Amino acid sequence: MQNGALRVYPLQDKDLSVNTLKEYWSFNVHDNDYGQIQGICSSYDDRFLITCGGDGNIFTFNILSPEDVHKELKAKIPSPRSGLQKEKATEDIEDPNAYSIEEVKQKKEYERIMKEAEEKKNKKREELIALRHEFLFLLQKNQELPKHMQLHREQYEMDHRIFEELDRQTAQRIQLVQKELAWEHEKHLIGLQKLRNQFRDSLEFDTVVVHAIQSNHQISTYRLLAMSEKYYQDKERPSWKRTVLKRAWKQAEKREIVRETSHARTFEGEAEKLKTSEVRKPTTHYIGSKHEQIRRIVEKSDKVKAKIMKRKAEWDELYKSKPSDDYENPKDVEDIREAQENMGCYKLKTAPNYRVPKHKRMNTEKKVMQLTSLEVLIHKRKVNMNKEIMSLRDLKISIIDKIKCLVQELKSIQTALDLSERLPLPLIPQLYPDEVPEKKFEYDSDVLLKFKEEQEAKAKLQEQLEGSPSSCAFRHGFLRASSIKEIDPMAQAAGARPMKIASSVTTEQRKVFEIEKAEPTEMELEILKREKIKNLYLQETLIKKINALVINFDAELRFLRHKKLKLDVQMKSADLRYITWYEELLILKNLEKRETLLQGRVDTLISEQEAMRSKLNSYLAQMEDRKSEIVKLQECEKALYANFQASLGENNEFARFLTKVLKKKTKCMEKKEVGREADEEDENEEENDDESSLGIDEENSGSEDEVFDDSVCPKNCNEALFRNTMQLRQKRLDIEKALKEEKKVAANLRKKYNALAKKAKVVETSLDTAETELETFQWEKQQRLNELYVVVPLKLHQVEYLVNGEMPSDFSQALVFTNQSLEYLQKRMVDLHNEKIMQREIYKKAQEQHKQLVQDKKEMDINIRRLEEKCSHLMMKKFGRLVDFEAVQAHSVNIRMEELEVQIMEKEYVHSQELQEWEERILDLRQQLMKLTKENTSKLQQLNRFCLEKQQLETKLDSLKNDLGVEFQGTRTTDIKEKARLESRLKHMAHNTALLRKEINLLSRKDGCLREELALLSRKDGCLFLQPLSPQDSETPTETFPILTP
């Protein structure tokens, strides 16, 4: 019943023997794979049999009575003819490719010869097998002998050259076979490499099935091909976010560096300020307070002026921001535009008035990007799932290794336990072949030999079924391997005998040892008991650990299987979406040529429109510049006339003559004016409206026919005034010439602007038509895309489209929404209803506020007029005229006068300080003068003593007698020199005393010419000078005082 088949056994008299159960009827009614029979029962009258299977089908069968069975069984199979097996079957040519009877006979003869050769080979092989058995028997006997009587392995060799020759011949044959098969080997290698490149190298993941250990659950990986190189190139490209982040990081670092440098500079500036404040000399308290008072007054006046200017600016800003009657709030306009753009189009795509938004328009490039992104996303999800499954397989491999170690440890523990206490060992899970498919392509010589044996066995089985005698020719190449296999059991038996003998010897030794062993003591029994309890506990813990590993792995596999089932559903829906998008791509490729033409036309028109707009803006800017230049020239002309009127003065008798001279035009200017008068009047209406009254007088005066000579100054007229008038006339003519040129340029610009504006209107109309054509094409393309079928998997509870309470057969009028979009629409309906109510309330409040503001404005106007009248009445009552209080507040203090007063006080303070310094210096100099006079008087007294001594010596010399010798009769040169020296010194001292007296007289004076006379009196003819030592004296010119030296 596992395969969904039902068996019926015919029984006679309820005989349940084996012979009666051989014959039966089989009915394959349920599904062979999923139709396992879950239940079977008969009806209450035993006439019907009912079965139900796992495929959801229920079948009923009629149960026939014995009479009906005999009636139904009409045909009988005849029994075979007796003796048929003994008859010899006639041989016939069964080969359809046989050409003739002779060829078949030759083939049979060849087969007979090969059969006889194979029989001879078998006889030789049997003889060799007998010799090998005899050799093995001798080897066994040799092993049974004592060691000193046994023969070594080398002694069996009669001649070692025989084996060397055999090895050499074998190596030569192997080399010869390798040379013969080299071309075939290389050919097969190249073919294998091609197969690998075609089928294996392009694979990123092969199908790997991971099985559970205790249950039948399994999970398989996705078979994935490697992605093309362009996807990897896209992945390797740096994203714009990374570049933006790097730039932001660099900017932040630069800002930090700038901040650090600015902080350092501020700290340095503060330190310098502190140093300079320490170095500066403090001023007096009064001057400081005066400075502070002036600063406060200046700040107060500046604040008043700033407040007045701010108030004026606020009023100007307020008047500028005053909206007009048709004013619309730009914020409201922007909100309305944004709402119209972003509120969404809730029309169906199949509607005739549906318009495809620009951001939703699809072309071939966008669709290809969608397909590639979907393919990459599918591949990424499958790769992640495959990695999880491969990690689960690695987990299973590690769990198997752990279980092996634990089972080995469990076996070592169970060796110390009795057989009755040993628990059954848990089975070690094994890896299935489909869990490691990569091993299919890993092979060695053993695998190849095994494959060869399998192929040989299949060929033998096929030949036996076909019954052809040609199997001998196919078998001759593999007899050697079969003979080796036949020898192996004999060798194993021969090798097993000594093992049995050794095991019997060890068992006998154990028995003898057990007999000789004494009974254990109580301490040893206690130790054995503890070891036994420990081993039992370790046995249970190891088995539990193994079971926990298995259970956890199965749980992980079931969880991952559930996750993969969900992913399979998502991948299937993604594949369906991919098919739909690919069909859309084919439609878009068919319509791509027309779309590119329309889009190119629209783009060219947009570029032309932008170029024209830029030109129009440039023309407007140039026109504004020309207008500003014209206004400047007109202002210059007005200033010129104002200057002329000021130079004339009041009640000038030559005013009319000089005005005519100023307004007179030259002949060249008149000729130009006549030709261009009409054009200028039409093109410059705005400029003509702003002409001054002096210009009107100029026209009136120019229309007069009086002729006068302006080259000669009239009598009694100021010649300077006449020359000034001539210069002003020349300036007026230059200004008028420049003004005409500017008006001409402005007229040309206006003509160009008007022509370009007409062209811009034409381009705009053609752009509108092109955009309408593009929109209609987009609508047609959308209708073509709407014709495609889109698969949407739904469950019954998701269908809410019912007709009369039943599900209709036609769903063409139904719409499919996601739960999120449906909830959004329902929420949007409620929000719009609430927003409508709120907007109505806001509108009512705005109306009430508007009424209140209008009423408040009227009241404020009345109040302002009343206050202005009151203010003007009070000013007239108090001042007798209207006073501008803002000007009074701004000019309440003469700041310049206060600053000059402070400067005068500072100068007086500085001069007083200098006078005090000079007085101190004069005192010092007087003390020095007294000191010098004392020294000079002492020197004079000493000189007087010297003079007296000289006189005395001279008198003594004169009184001496002249008879002392001839050599002493004349005057001596030394005395003459000494005398001359003393005289010159006396003269010099007298001159110095005269100079000192003059200086004393000068110092006693108190006028300002002290320095000049001291400088005149100073001399540098070998005298010493006294220089000032104070720092104040060092700044002034050097002053010296002579000192008498001995």
Side-chain angles (χ1 to χ4, degrees), residues 9-14 25 45-47 62-74:
Y9 294 90
L11 301 178
Q12 295 179 359
D13 297 333
K14 297 182 179 180
W25 289 296
D45 55 353
D46 294 334
R47 291 182 61 189
N62 291 326
I63 300 174
L64 301 175
S65 62
E67 293 81 7
D68 297 333
V69 172
H70 290 295
K71 289 179 182 178
E72 293 290 336
L73 298 175
K74 294 179 180 180

Side-chain angles (χ1 to χ4, degrees), residues 283 286-296 899 902-903 906:
T283 59
Y286 180 73
I287 295 172
S289 63
K290 199 71 177 175
H291 273 293
E292 187 69 22
Q293 185 179 359
I294 294 168
R295 187 180 62 78
R296 288 175 184 174
E899 289 179 353
V902 172
Q903 288 179 4
E906 288 179 354

Side-chain angles (χ1 to χ4, degrees), residues 627-830:
K627 284 182 181 180
S628 62
E629 290 292 332
I630 289 168
V631 171
K632 286 180 181 177
L633 290 172
Q634 288 177 353
E635 289 178 355
C636 290
E637 189 175 4
K638 290 178 183 178
L640 187 142
Y641 281 111
N643 190 8
F644 174 70
Q645 291 293 336
S647 63
L648 285 178
E650 294 180 358
N651 301 323
N652 194 341
E653 57 182 354
F654 296 99
R656 185 177 178 80
F657 173 77
L658 293 174
T659 304
K660 287 181 180 181
V661 170
L662 178 66
K663 294 180 180 180
K664 186 179 178 181
K665 297 180 180 179
T666 59
K667 292 181 180 180
C668 60
M669 294 296 295
E670 288 177 355
K671 288 179 182 179
K672 290 180 182 178
E673 186 178 352
V674 170
R676 299 171 185 173
E677 186 176 5
D679 296 335
E680 289 177 0
E681 287 179 356
D682 295 334
E683 293 171 358
N684 303 315
E685 294 177 355
E686 296 178 359
E687 287 80 8
N688 291 333
D689 295 336
D690 297 332
E691 287 182 355
S692 62
S693 61
L694 292 172
I696 295 168
D697 297 337
E698 178 186 351
E699 291 179 359
N700 296 329
S701 62
S703 62
E704 295 178 356
D705 298 331
E706 296 179 1
V707 179
F708 62 94
D709 187 9
D710 58 347
S711 61
V712 181
C713 180
K715 293 180 179 180
N716 299 326
C717 182
N718 191 358
E719 190 175 354
L721 183 60
F722 181 74
R723 284 198 299 271
N724 186 21
T725 304
M726 295 296 289
Q727 291 176 1
L728 290 174
R729 186 180 69 176
Q730 188 63 34
K731 287 182 182 179
R732 181 185 65 79
L733 293 174
D734 295 338
I735 290 169
E736 285 180 355
K737 185 178 178 180
L739 189 62
K740 288 180 181 180
E741 292 293 330
E742 292 294 334
K743 288 179 180 180
K744 183 180 176 182
V745 173
N748 292 330
L749 288 173
R750 183 169 290 279
K751 286 181 181 179
K752 291 180 182 178
Y753 179 79
N754 293 330
L756 194 61
K758 291 178 182 178
K759 289 183 182 179
K761 286 181 181 179
V762 174
V763 171
E764 188 175 358
T765 54
S766 59
L767 179 61
D768 293 337
T769 55
E771 285 181 349
T772 52
E773 289 178 2
L774 185 61
E775 285 181 358
T776 54
F777 173 75
Q778 292 291 339
W779 182 81
E780 292 175 1
K781 184 171 69 174
Q782 186 63 43
Q783 296 303 316
R784 291 282 300 276
L785 294 175
N786 292 338
E787 293 175 1
L788 295 175
Y789 289 101
V790 180
V791 179
V792 180
L794 296 174
K795 295 181 181 179
L796 291 177
H797 73 276
Q798 291 178 314
V799 179
E800 296 183 0
Y801 178 60
L802 302 176
V803 178
N804 296 326
E806 295 181 355
M807 190 179 297
S809 60
D810 186 14
F811 285 94
S812 61
Q813 299 298 323
L815 294 175
V816 179
F817 290 96
T818 59
N819 292 329
Q820 186 178 2
S821 60
L822 190 61
E823 290 174 0
Y824 173 74
L825 288 174
Q826 292 173 356
K827 184 182 177 183
R828 182 64 179 163
M829 290 169 63
V830 178

Side-chain angles (χ1 to χ4, degrees), residues 514-525:
E514 288 175 357
I515 293 168
E516 293 177 357
K517 188 175 180 181
E519 293 182 358
T521 60
E522 293 180 359
M523 184 66 69
E524 291 176 351
L525 290 173

